[in-house]
Amino acid sequence: MNKGRLIVVSAPSGCGKGTILGRVFADSDVYYSVSCTTRAPREGEENGREYFFLSVAEFEKMIAEDGFLEHAKFAENYYGTPRKAAEDNLTQGRDVILEIETQGAFQIKEKMPEAVMIFILPPSVEELRRRLLKRGTETPDVIDKRVSQAAGEIEKAYNYDFVIMNDDLDTAVADFETVINSISDPETDAQVHRADNEQVKKMIKEVLENDA
Ligand code: ADP
Ligand code: 5GP
């Protein structure tokens, strides 16, 4: 049996990756990896659904036991991808989606160069702030922290395989589908989303300069 494909998706917090992935993979048989984190659950989040919520001691024990495919510290909390579920699903031939930040994404690419890396860009950092405010799940303090980290995250987009702009949601969902389809059919027009394309490099630069 062929192994599944490992698809890594990163974007600054509030950019819309949860919204896009929810639409793209609504009726598909992919395995959506559930990460572990030491951050507190947000209202409405359930242990084992959005995340496995662990204490720092529990998380560090899992690091020591090599229980993560990757892990990183982000915004003062640990986040990590449980190794077993991801590896089992890949072996069973199922595609696996990791929604993770950039440090973890690069750890994955190093260990598993066949992973497909997709970065979702916001139109600007100020628009990110508006989306986080609209979502209403974080305090203004936490929003400030996340927004101040965003530019650093966006700079990493140059090193991904594909970059998608989430300005208009329907367009972003369609672009994401084009990229996913291109993994099995290289004839599709996903070239326009490749991070080494000059147009895409210019787009990343413009997002960063919008907020200079
Ligand atoms: P993430 O998973 O990247 O943290 P979410 O998917 O939770 O982000 O989206 C953050 C907020 O932005 C949500 O309120 C969502 O409805 C909104 N949003 C997502 N995409 C768009 C878009 N293209 N235009 C306007 N708002 C959007
Ligand atoms: P949030 O606290 O908003 O849910 O997530 C913060 C950041 O951590 C997001 O960029 C999210 O993609 C990332 N993240 C979630 N799970 C993991 C994980 O398992 N590993 C890594 N490295 N990052 C993760």
Side-chain angles (χ1 to χ4, degrees):
M1 184 193 288
N2 284 338
K3 276 190 77 176
R5 302 168 301 183
L6 184 58
I7 300 164
V8 176
V9 184
S10 302
S13 204
C15 182
K17 59 186 173 308
T19 307
I20 294 172
L21 293 175
R23 295 238 325 234
V24 172
F25 297 110
D27 303 311
S28 92
D29 182 41
V30 298
Y31 173 68
Y32 205 94
S33 168
V34 180
S35 297
C36 297
T37 183
T38 57
R39 84 151 161 73
R42 294 181 188 131
E43 208 176 305
E45 286 184 332
E46 265 179 39
N47 191 35
R49 191 179 63 189
E50 283 79 11
Y51 283 103
F52 294 104
F53 295 99
L54 304 185
S55 67
V56 171
E58 287 167 331
F59 198 103
E60 289 179 343
K61 182 162 176 275
M62 222 168 131
I63 298 176
E65 291 168 350
D66 199 25
F68 292 116
L69 212 50
E70 61 71 36
H71 68 275
K73 232 177 191 174
F74 180 84
E76 294 163 26
N77 288 298
Y78 279 125
Y79 292 85
T81 303
R83 175 187 296 283
K84 187 165 183 333
E87 288 184 344
D88 287 354
N89 277 282
L90 287 171
T91 306
Q92 288 160 19
R94 198 168 288 122
D95 291 344
V96 170
I97 315 287
L98 307 184
E99 185 194 318
I100 62 179
E101 52 69 71
T102 55
Q103 304 167 74
F106 294 130
Q107 291 174 34
I108 294 284
K109 192 67 180 175
E110 197 154 320
K111 287 187 215 162
M112 303 160 102
E114 70 283 7
V116 179
M117 311 257 289
I118 304 174
F119 196 96
I120 302 175
L121 277 181
S124 69
V125 174
E126 271 322 299
E127 172 62 14
L128 263 190
R129 183 188 295 280
R130 281 191 287 276
R131 289 184 190 174
L132 282 169
L133 284 167
K134 181 178 110 187
R135 190 171 73 184
T137 52
E138 263 91 8
T139 61
D141 239 26
V142 173
I143 291 180
D144 279 347
K145 242 183 227 159
R146 302 233 155 173
V147 169
S148 69
Q149 271 174 305
E153 289 277 288
I154 292 167
E155 272 179 8
K156 307 280 181 358
Y158 292 110
N159 301 107
Y160 278 61
D161 298 318
F162 297 100
V163 177
I164 287 163
M165 164 61 70
N166 182 23
D167 189 354
D168 172 66
L169 181 59
D170 289 336
T171 307
V173 168
D175 288 349
F176 200 99
E177 283 170 343
T178 300
V179 167
I180 293 295
N181 293 335
S182 80
I183 303 168
S184 40
D185 177 9
E187 295 300 305
T188 62
D189 58 354
Q191 288 307 326
V192 296
H193 301 294
R194 291 215 66 106
D196 55 8
N197 173 320
E198 287 308 316
Q199 282 295 106
V200 172
K201 284 192 202 158
K202 192 163 161 257
M203 183 170 79
I204 300 170
K205 192 161 168 273
E206 278 171 6
V207 171
L208 288 164
E209 284 174 357
N210 265 346
D211 303 290

